[in-house]
C-alpha cells in the first residue's frame, strides 16, 4: 500500500533568489510536526505546534540579528481563527509544526530560512522567513507578478504561482517517488516598508488540487504577519 503527500518547495523565494545567484540547486527542508491529540476520536483537538525551537538554527548570527525561529513562526501561523480566515470554519488543524533551515549560495554564504506549516483537511498553509538581505521588489518581474508595486500592510510584496512536490511511498518507506504536486499561491512580503532586505513568504494550497483564492491568501497574510516577533509596529 502506498501513501502520497504534498510537500511545499520550501523557501520558493529562496529558490528564486538562488536562481539569480546561479546556484545549482537547493534541498527541500525537513518538517517537524505536532502529533494530533484527541480525547475523542470523533472530535479531535486542534494540533499544537511542535519543533523549530529557538536553539535550532543553521547560522551563528540568528540571536544577534533578531531572526525568528520555526517555533515562533508556527505560533504566529497557528491562530485560533485560522480556519475561519481560510473559509473553512468547521475544520481543526490536523498537524502544525516549525522547522529550522538554511540555504547556502554557491560561494558558501548561508542564510537562515526558518519555517512553519499548519495542515487542515481542505487547506495547508506554510510560512517561511528568509534572511538574505535582499529586497523583494528586485524579483517582481522574475516571479511574474502583474502588479509590480503591490503592497501588503504597507510593505512591498509579490504574488505568484507555484506547485508543491508530490511524494509517494510505501508504508515501509520503500519505493519512494516524487513528482509535480498541486497548485499553490504564494505571497512574499518585505520585512519592512522600506524593503531594505529579508522577507516573509506565505504559501497556500488545497488538498483537492484546486487553485487557492488570492483574496483568502492575502487575508491570512494580513492577520498572520503582524503576529511575527519583530514585525514593525503600525505596519
Amino acid at each position: 500500500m502506498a501513501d502520497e503527500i504534498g510537500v511545499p518547495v520550501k523557501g520558493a523565494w529562496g529558490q528564486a533568489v538562488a536562481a539569480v545567484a546561479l546556484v545549482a540547486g537547493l534541498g527541500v527542508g525537513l518538517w517537524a510536526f505536532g502529533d494530533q491529540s484527541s480525547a475523542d476520536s470523533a472530535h479531535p483537538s486542534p494540533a499544537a505546534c511542535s519543533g523549530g525551537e529557538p536553539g535550532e538554527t543553521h547560522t551563528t548570527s540568528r540571536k544577534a540579528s533578531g531572526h525568528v525561529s520555526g517555533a515562533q513562526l508556527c505560533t504566529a501561523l497557528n491562530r485560533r481563527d485560522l480556519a475561519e480566515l481560510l473559509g473553512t470554519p468547521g475544520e481543526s488543524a490536523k498537524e502544525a509544526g516549525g522547522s529550522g533551515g538554511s540555504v547556502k549560495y554557491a560561494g558558501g554564504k548561508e542564510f537562515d530560512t526558518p519555517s512553519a506549516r499548519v495542515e487542515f483537511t481542505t487547506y495547508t498553509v506554510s510560512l517561511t522567513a528568509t534572511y538574505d538581505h535582499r529586497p523583494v521588489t528586485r524579483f517582481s518581474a522574475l516571479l511574474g507578478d502583474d502588479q509590480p508595486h503591490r503592497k501588503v500592510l504597507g510593505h512591498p510584496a509579490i504574488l505568484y504561482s507555484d506547485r508543491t512536490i508530490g511524494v509517494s511511498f510505501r508504508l515501509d518507506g520503500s519505493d519512494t517517488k516524487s513528482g509535480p504536486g498541486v497548485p499553490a499561491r504564494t505571497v512574499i512580503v518585505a520585512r519592512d516598508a522600506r524593503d531594505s532586505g529579508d522577507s516573509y513568504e506565505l504559501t497556500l494550497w488545497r488538498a483537492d488540487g484546486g487553485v487557492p483564492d488570492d483574496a483568502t491568501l492575502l487575508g491570512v497574510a494580513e492577520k498572520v504577519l503582524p503576529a511575527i516577533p519583530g514585525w514593525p509596529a503600525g505596519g
Side-chain angles (χ1 to χ4, degrees):
M1 179 178 180
D3 197 2
E4 183 168 343
I5 59 174
V7 179
V9 181
K10 184 182 176 185
W13 169 234
Q15 289 195 357
V17 172
V20 174
L22 301 180
V23 176
L26 301 177
V28 177
L30 298 177
W31 292 90
F33 296 112
D35 293 332
Q36 179 178 334
S37 60
S38 173
D40 179 354
S41 59
H43 299 87
S45 300
C49 290
S50 69
E53 294 302 325
E56 298 180 18
T57 180
H58 291 258
T59 67
T60 59
S61 61
R62 183 185 61 78
K63 288 185 178 180
S65 57
H67 294 187
V68 297
S69 66
Q72 290 172 312
L73 290 176
C74 189
T75 298
L77 181 61
N78 194 22
R79 301 167 53 96
R80 289 180 178 271
D81 62 350
L82 183 55
E84 294 181 12
L85 295 174
L86 293 170
T88 56
E91 295 185 1
S92 295
K94 300 191 299 180
E95 293 182 335
S99 171
S102 65
V103 172
K104 183 179 290 186
Y105 283 151
K109 187 174 182 180
E110 187 174 12
F111 56 86
D112 284 336
T113 56
S115 53
R117 189 173 97 165
V118 178
E119 180 182 348
F120 293 87
T121 300
T122 302
Y123 285 103
T124 299
V125 193
S126 70
L127 176 64
T128 302
T130 301
Y131 296 103
D132 59 355
H133 312 299
R134 295 175 182 267
V136 166
T137 50
R138 179 178 176 183
F139 300 98
S140 180
L142 173 67
L143 294 175
D145 193 338
D146 58 2
Q147 294 187 28
H149 303 294
R150 184 187 302 277
K151 290 192 175 183
V152 172
L153 298 172
H155 295 213
I158 301 173
L159 186 65
Y160 72 100
S161 295
D162 202 354
R163 293 191 76 88
T164 64
I165 297 175
V167 180
S168 63
F169 54 90
R170 295 188 178 278
L171 295 180
D172 61 4
S174 65
D175 197 23
T176 301
K177 299 178 181 178
S178 64
V182 299
R185 289 291 282 169
T186 296
V187 61
I188 303 166
V189 183
R191 193 180 181 193
D192 58 44
R194 296 176 299 166
D195 196 15
S196 57
D198 303 338
S199 59
Y200 299 108
E201 176 182 310
L202 189 73
T203 301
L204 180 64
W205 67 95
R206 296 178 58 100
D208 62 7
V211 178
D213 178 66
D214 287 347
T216 299
L217 173 64
L218 295 173
V220 172
E222 289 175 353
K223 294 294 185 180
V224 168
L225 294 178
I228 298 174
W231 181 265

